[in-house]
Amino acid sequence: INKDNFTFSGCGDSFQNKPIGENFNKKLDYDKFAEYKISILFDINIHLKYNKRIKDPKQAEIMENLSKTIKGNKNACIEQIVKKFKIPVMMRKNLTQEYINNASHIAYRNSTCDEINKMAHKNTEREKYDLRIGDRWLGVSAKNSPTYPGRDSEDHAIGIRINANEIYIISNIIKKEDSCIISLEKSEERTFDISLEVFKERMKQIYCGTCHSMQGLSVKKEILMIHDYGFYHADLRWYYTAITRAIGRIDQIIFVIH
Protein backbone atom coordinates (compact mmCIF):
# COMPACT_ATOMS: atom_id res chain seq x y z
CA ILE A 1 0.00 0.00 0.00
CA ASN A 2 1.24 3.48 -0.85
CA LYS A 3 0.56 5.16 2.50
CA ASP A 4 0.86 8.60 0.86
CA ASN A 5 -2.67 8.00 -0.41
CA PHE A 6 -4.06 7.28 3.06
CA THR A 7 -4.35 8.99 6.42
CA PHE A 8 -4.24 6.73 9.47
CA SER A 9 -5.39 7.95 12.87
CA GLY A 10 -5.88 6.35 16.27
CA CYS A 11 -6.39 7.16 19.92
CA GLY A 12 -5.65 5.32 23.12
CA ASP A 13 -3.81 5.15 26.41
CA SER A 14 -0.82 2.82 26.62
CA PHE A 15 -1.04 2.73 30.43
CA GLN A 16 -4.38 0.89 30.43
CA ASN A 17 -4.75 -2.88 30.83
CA LYS A 18 -2.31 -5.11 29.02
CA PRO A 19 -3.86 -7.72 26.68
CA ILE A 20 -5.08 -10.83 28.49
CA GLY A 21 -2.67 -13.74 28.17
CA GLU A 22 0.10 -11.56 26.84
CA ASN A 23 3.55 -13.14 27.18
CA PHE A 24 5.62 -9.96 27.35
CA ASN A 25 9.37 -9.99 27.96
CA LYS A 26 9.62 -8.77 31.56
CA LYS A 27 13.16 -7.50 30.99
CA LEU A 28 11.79 -4.76 28.74
CA ASP A 29 10.05 -1.59 29.94
CA TYR A 30 6.48 -2.13 28.73
CA ASP A 31 5.57 1.59 28.59
CA LYS A 32 8.67 2.57 26.63
CA PHE A 33 8.05 -0.37 24.30
CA ALA A 34 4.41 0.75 23.74
CA GLU A 35 5.45 4.35 23.09
CA TYR A 36 8.12 3.13 20.65
CA LYS A 37 5.59 1.02 18.70
CA ILE A 38 3.14 3.93 18.61
CA SER A 39 5.85 6.24 17.26
CA ILE A 40 6.50 3.73 14.44
CA LEU A 41 2.82 3.50 13.51
CA PHE A 42 2.06 7.22 13.75
CA ASP A 43 4.32 10.07 12.65
CA ILE A 44 2.50 12.68 14.73
CA ASN A 45 1.53 12.21 18.40
CA ILE A 46 -0.75 14.52 20.40
CA HIS A 47 -1.17 14.27 24.16
CA LEU A 48 -4.70 15.28 25.15
CA LYS A 49 -4.48 16.33 28.80
CA TYR A 50 -8.17 17.14 29.31
CA ASN A 51 -10.36 14.28 30.53
CA LYS A 52 -13.09 13.81 27.92
CA ARG A 53 -15.47 11.92 30.21
CA ILE A 54 -15.73 14.32 33.14
CA LYS A 55 -17.39 17.59 32.17
CA ASP A 56 -16.82 19.50 35.42
CA PRO A 57 -13.45 21.33 34.98
CA LYS A 58 -12.51 21.01 38.67
CA GLN A 59 -13.26 17.29 38.74
CA ALA A 60 -11.43 16.80 35.43
CA GLU A 61 -8.39 18.50 36.99
CA ILE A 62 -8.56 16.16 40.01
CA MET A 63 -8.75 13.16 37.67
CA GLU A 64 -5.73 14.44 35.75
CA ASN A 65 -3.79 14.77 39.03
CA LEU A 66 -4.85 11.25 40.00
CA SER A 67 -3.68 9.93 36.63
CA LYS A 68 -0.33 11.72 36.97
CA THR A 69 0.10 10.34 40.50
CA ILE A 70 -0.42 6.77 39.30
CA LYS A 71 1.71 7.08 36.17
CA GLY A 72 4.45 8.97 38.03
CA ASN A 73 4.84 6.31 40.69
CA LYS A 74 4.23 2.90 39.14
CA ASN A 75 5.48 1.17 42.28
CA ALA A 76 2.82 2.81 44.44
CA CYS A 77 0.12 0.66 46.00
CA ILE A 78 -3.56 1.41 45.43
CA GLU A 79 -4.03 2.09 49.16
CA GLN A 80 -1.80 5.17 48.82
CA ILE A 81 -3.94 6.47 45.95
CA VAL A 82 -7.16 5.80 47.88
CA LYS A 83 -5.85 7.65 50.92
CA LYS A 84 -4.49 10.64 49.00
CA PHE A 85 -7.65 11.21 46.92
CA LYS A 86 -10.07 10.11 49.68
CA ILE A 87 -11.79 7.44 47.57
CA PRO A 88 -14.46 5.65 49.67
CA VAL A 89 -14.10 1.92 50.37
CA MET A 90 -16.94 -0.35 51.51
CA MET A 91 -17.49 -4.02 52.25
CA ARG A 92 -19.58 -6.28 50.00
CA LYS A 93 -21.99 -7.01 52.89
CA ASN A 94 -22.95 -3.30 52.94
CA LEU A 95 -23.89 -3.29 49.26
CA THR A 96 -27.58 -2.36 49.21
CA GLN A 97 -30.10 -2.56 46.40
CA GLU A 98 -30.00 1.21 46.16
CA TYR A 99 -26.31 1.02 45.25
CA ILE A 100 -27.02 -1.74 42.71
CA ASN A 101 -29.73 0.28 40.96
CA ASN A 102 -28.16 3.75 41.05
CA ALA A 103 -24.55 3.04 40.14
CA SER A 104 -22.44 1.67 37.32
CA HIS A 105 -20.36 -1.37 38.22
CA ILE A 106 -16.94 -2.65 37.18
CA ALA A 107 -15.24 -5.79 38.53
CA TYR A 108 -12.15 -7.87 37.92
CA ARG A 109 -13.70 -11.33 38.08
CA ASN A 110 -16.51 -12.68 35.91
CA SER A 111 -17.94 -14.35 39.02
CA THR A 112 -18.29 -10.94 40.68
CA CYS A 113 -20.00 -9.56 37.56
CA ASP A 114 -22.42 -12.50 37.58
CA GLU A 115 -23.18 -11.88 41.26
CA ILE A 116 -23.98 -8.19 40.71
CA ASN A 117 -25.93 -8.88 37.50
CA LYS A 118 -28.07 -11.49 39.28
CA MET A 119 -28.83 -9.04 42.08
CA ALA A 120 -29.82 -6.42 39.52
CA HIS A 121 -31.90 -8.80 37.39
CA LYS A 122 -33.75 -10.12 40.42
CA ASN A 123 -34.84 -6.71 41.64
CA THR A 124 -34.98 -4.55 38.54
CA GLU A 125 -38.33 -3.04 37.60
CA ARG A 126 -37.57 -3.59 33.92
CA GLU A 127 -38.35 -6.93 32.36
CA LYS A 128 -35.31 -8.98 31.40
CA TYR A 129 -35.96 -8.52 27.69
CA ASP A 130 -37.35 -5.00 27.70
CA LEU A 131 -35.14 -4.07 24.76
CA ARG A 132 -34.20 -0.51 23.96
CA ILE A 133 -32.03 0.96 21.21
CA GLY A 134 -28.72 2.13 22.65
CA ASP A 135 -28.67 -0.39 25.51
CA ARG A 136 -25.44 -2.33 25.99
CA TRP A 137 -25.49 -6.12 26.40
CA LEU A 138 -22.75 -8.63 27.09
CA GLY A 139 -22.02 -11.65 24.90
CA VAL A 140 -21.93 -15.09 26.55
CA SER A 141 -20.60 -18.45 25.36
CA ALA A 142 -22.94 -20.99 23.80
CA LYS A 143 -24.44 -23.34 26.41
CA ASN A 144 -23.47 -26.47 24.48
CA SER A 145 -19.86 -25.33 24.10
CA PRO A 146 -17.91 -25.72 27.34
CA THR A 147 -14.60 -24.94 25.68
CA TYR A 148 -13.69 -21.58 24.21
CA PRO A 149 -13.00 -22.81 20.61
CA GLY A 150 -16.19 -24.89 20.70
CA ARG A 151 -18.33 -21.82 20.07
CA ASP A 152 -17.28 -21.82 16.43
CA SER A 153 -19.76 -24.50 15.35
CA GLU A 154 -22.81 -22.73 16.74
CA ASP A 155 -21.65 -19.30 15.57
CA HIS A 156 -21.13 -20.74 12.11
CA ALA A 157 -24.72 -22.03 12.15
CA ILE A 158 -26.13 -18.54 12.82
CA GLY A 159 -23.69 -16.89 10.44
CA ILE A 160 -21.91 -14.60 12.92
CA ARG A 161 -19.45 -14.86 15.80
CA ILE A 162 -20.52 -13.65 19.23
CA ASN A 163 -17.62 -13.33 21.65
CA ALA A 164 -18.01 -13.94 25.37
CA ASN A 165 -17.48 -10.87 27.59
CA GLU A 166 -17.59 -8.43 24.69
CA ILE A 167 -20.05 -5.55 24.76
CA TYR A 168 -22.66 -5.16 22.01
CA ILE A 169 -24.99 -2.21 21.51
CA ILE A 170 -28.56 -2.53 20.22
CA SER A 171 -28.72 -0.31 17.14
CA ASN A 172 -32.16 -1.32 15.82
CA ILE A 173 -35.19 -3.47 16.67
CA ILE A 174 -37.58 -4.75 14.01
CA LYS A 175 -40.75 -6.29 15.46
CA LYS A 176 -43.02 -8.40 13.26
CA GLU A 177 -46.16 -10.36 13.99
CA ASP A 178 -44.37 -13.62 14.77
CA SER A 179 -40.71 -12.60 15.18
CA CYS A 180 -38.30 -9.96 16.37
CA ILE A 181 -34.99 -9.07 14.70
CA ILE A 182 -32.35 -7.25 16.74
CA SER A 183 -29.45 -5.37 15.19
CA LEU A 184 -26.30 -5.44 17.31
CA GLU A 185 -23.30 -3.19 16.89
CA LYS A 186 -19.88 -4.25 18.11
CA SER A 187 -18.16 -1.29 16.57
CA GLU A 188 -18.97 1.38 14.01
CA GLU A 189 -17.72 -0.95 11.30
CA ARG A 190 -19.56 -4.12 12.34
CA THR A 191 -23.31 -4.50 12.69
CA PHE A 192 -25.26 -7.76 12.41
CA ASP A 193 -28.82 -9.03 12.91
CA ILE A 194 -29.95 -11.90 15.13
CA SER A 195 -33.32 -13.30 16.16
CA LEU A 196 -34.80 -12.78 19.63
CA GLU A 197 -34.26 -16.49 20.33
CA VAL A 198 -30.52 -16.24 19.63
CA PHE A 199 -30.39 -12.96 21.56
CA LYS A 200 -31.84 -14.61 24.68
CA GLU A 201 -29.37 -17.46 24.33
CA ARG A 202 -26.22 -15.40 23.78
CA MET A 203 -26.73 -12.05 25.53
CA LYS A 204 -27.07 -10.87 29.12
CA GLN A 205 -27.65 -7.42 30.57
CA ILE A 206 -24.50 -5.65 31.66
CA TYR A 207 -25.17 -4.03 35.00
CA CYS A 208 -21.61 -5.02 35.87
CA GLY A 209 -18.81 -5.67 33.39
CA THR A 210 -15.16 -6.60 33.73
CA CYS A 211 -12.68 -3.76 33.47
CA HIS A 212 -11.14 -5.42 30.39
CA SER A 213 -14.51 -5.43 28.60
CA MET A 214 -15.18 -1.80 29.63
CA GLN A 215 -11.81 -0.53 28.43
CA GLY A 216 -12.30 2.37 26.03
CA LEU A 217 -15.88 2.96 27.20
CA SER A 218 -17.54 5.35 29.63
CA VAL A 219 -19.94 4.21 32.34
CA LYS A 220 -23.51 5.50 32.16
CA LYS A 221 -24.10 6.63 35.74
CA GLU A 222 -22.19 9.18 37.80
CA ILE A 223 -21.74 6.81 40.74
CA LEU A 224 -19.12 4.21 39.85
CA MET A 225 -18.59 1.15 42.06
CA ILE A 226 -15.32 -0.71 41.42
CA HIS A 227 -15.55 -4.22 42.82
CA ASP A 228 -12.84 -6.73 43.77
CA TYR A 229 -10.79 -4.05 45.54
CA GLY A 230 -7.69 -5.74 46.94
CA PHE A 231 -7.93 -8.73 44.59
CA TYR A 232 -4.37 -10.02 44.15
CA HIS A 233 -4.46 -9.98 40.33
CA ALA A 234 -5.63 -6.34 40.19
CA ASP A 235 -2.56 -4.18 39.55
CA LEU A 236 -2.18 -0.41 39.30
CA ARG A 237 -2.96 -0.46 35.56
CA TRP A 238 -6.24 -2.22 36.28
CA TYR A 239 -7.26 0.32 38.93
CA TYR A 240 -6.23 3.19 36.66
CA THR A 241 -8.31 1.81 33.78
CA ALA A 242 -11.34 1.27 36.03
CA ILE A 243 -11.14 4.71 37.67
CA THR A 244 -10.82 6.53 34.35
CA ARG A 245 -14.15 5.09 33.12
CA ALA A 246 -15.89 7.52 35.51
CA ILE A 247 -18.04 10.42 34.31
CA GLY A 248 -18.88 12.01 37.71
CA ARG A 249 -17.02 13.36 40.72
CA ILE A 250 -14.04 11.55 42.20
CA ASP A 251 -15.89 11.16 45.51
CA GLN A 252 -18.61 9.28 43.59
CA ILE A 253 -16.15 6.46 42.91
CA ILE A 254 -16.49 3.67 45.50
CA PHE A 255 -14.25 0.64 45.91
CA VAL A 256 -15.94 -2.55 47.10
CA ILE A 257 -14.14 -5.37 48.94
CA HIS A 258 -15.56 -8.84 48.16
Side-chain angles (χ1 to χ4, degrees):
I1 298 176
N2 181 1
K3 72 174 187 177
D4 293 336
N5 298 328
F6 297 88
T7 299
F8 297 91
S9 62
C11 64
D13 186 343
S14 61
F15 194 73
Q16 290 188 23
N17 287 323
K18 296 179 182 179
I20 296 176
E22 179 191 41
N23 187 19
F24 184 76
N25 187 340
K26 294 182 179 180
K27 293 182 180 180
L28 297 177
D29 185 308
Y30 180 89
D31 296 300
K32 289 183 179 179
F33 175 77
E35 291 173 4
Y36 170 69
K37 300 302 273 186
I38 291 171
S39 67
I40 292 176
L41 292 169
F42 302 100
D43 298 329
I44 301 172
N45 289 279
I46 302 172
H47 181 202
L48 303 177
K49 295 184 178 181
Y50 184 78
N51 187 289
K52 65 181 181 181
R53 293 184 171 85
I54 298 178
K55 305 306 179 185
D56 185 313
K58 291 184 178 179
Q59 293 299 317
E61 184 178 353
I62 294 173
M63 179 63 81
E64 179 62 24
N65 289 334
L66 188 152
S67 299
K68 286 182 178 178
T69 301
I70 293 177
K71 291 180 177 180
N73 186 6
K74 297 170 186 176
N75 295 321
C77 62
I78 188 59
E79 289 78 11
Q80 293 173 311
I81 306 299
V82 166
K83 184 177 180 180
K84 180 175 181 177
F85 291 92
K86 300 178 180 179
I87 300 175
V89 179
M90 68 181 293
M91 300 297 294
R92 159 67 181 83
K93 64 181 181 180
N94 298 323
L95 189 62
T96 64
Q97 197 60 43
E98 184 178 359
Y99 279 120
I100 294 292
N101 294 341
N102 297 320
S104 293
H105 303 270
I106 293 176
Y108 191 101
R109 297 175 292 182
N110 281 309
S111 58
T112 304
C113 292
D114 290 340
E115 179 185 357
I116 300 301
N117 284 327
K118 285 178 181 178
M119 292 175 67
H121 287 167
K122 184 177 179 180
N123 296 280
T124 183
E125 295 178 358
R126 291 176 55 183
E127 295 180 7
K128 188 174 182 180
Y129 295 107
D130 176 17
L131 305 178
R132 301 179 186 180
I133 293 175
D135 277 0
R136 292 185 290 185
W137 289 71
L138 197 67
V140 298
S141 298
K143 289 182 179 179
N144 63 349
S145 304
T147 59
Y148 195 81
R151 296 199 321 273
D152 290 344
S153 58
E154 179 168 322
D155 286 349
H156 179 73
I158 62 177
I160 53 95
R161 184 183 180 99
I162 297 174
N163 295 324
N165 295 321
E166 286 204 52
I167 295 173
Y168 298 85
I169 302 172
I170 297 178
S171 59
N172 194 24
I173 301 171
I174 302 174
K175 294 183 179 180
K176 299 180 180 179
E177 292 183 3
D178 56 351
S179 65
C180 178
I181 301 298
I182 299 148
S183 297
L184 291 174
E185 181 180 292
K186 182 181 175 183
S187 65
E188 293 180 358
E189 294 80 22
R190 182 188 174 196
T191 302
F192 57 87
D193 298 338
I194 58 175
S195 67
L196 181 60
E197 289 71 26
V198 174
F199 184 91
K200 290 180 178 181
E201 175 80 13
R202 302 299 299 279
M203 293 286 158
K204 65 180 179 181
Q205 284 177 309
I206 182 169
Y207 291 93
C208 181
T210 64
C211 186
H212 286 85
S213 67
M214 293 294 292
Q215 188 163 310
L217 301 174
S218 302
V219 296
K220 286 189 173 183
K221 298 178 181 178
E222 291 194 353
I223 299 174
L224 171 59
M225 307 199 78
I226 300 174
H227 300 265
D228 292 326
Y229 176 70
F231 185 54
Y232 62 92
H233 280 308
D235 58 11
L236 210 55
R237 286 180 183 275
W238 186 87
Y239 288 112
Y240 168 81
T241 307
I243 290 170
T244 52
R245 303 308 96 204
I247 61 172
R249 301 195 311 270
I250 300 302
D251 60 6
Q252 289 178 306
I253 298 173
I254 303 172
F255 283 120
V256 183
I257 301 173
H258 283 250

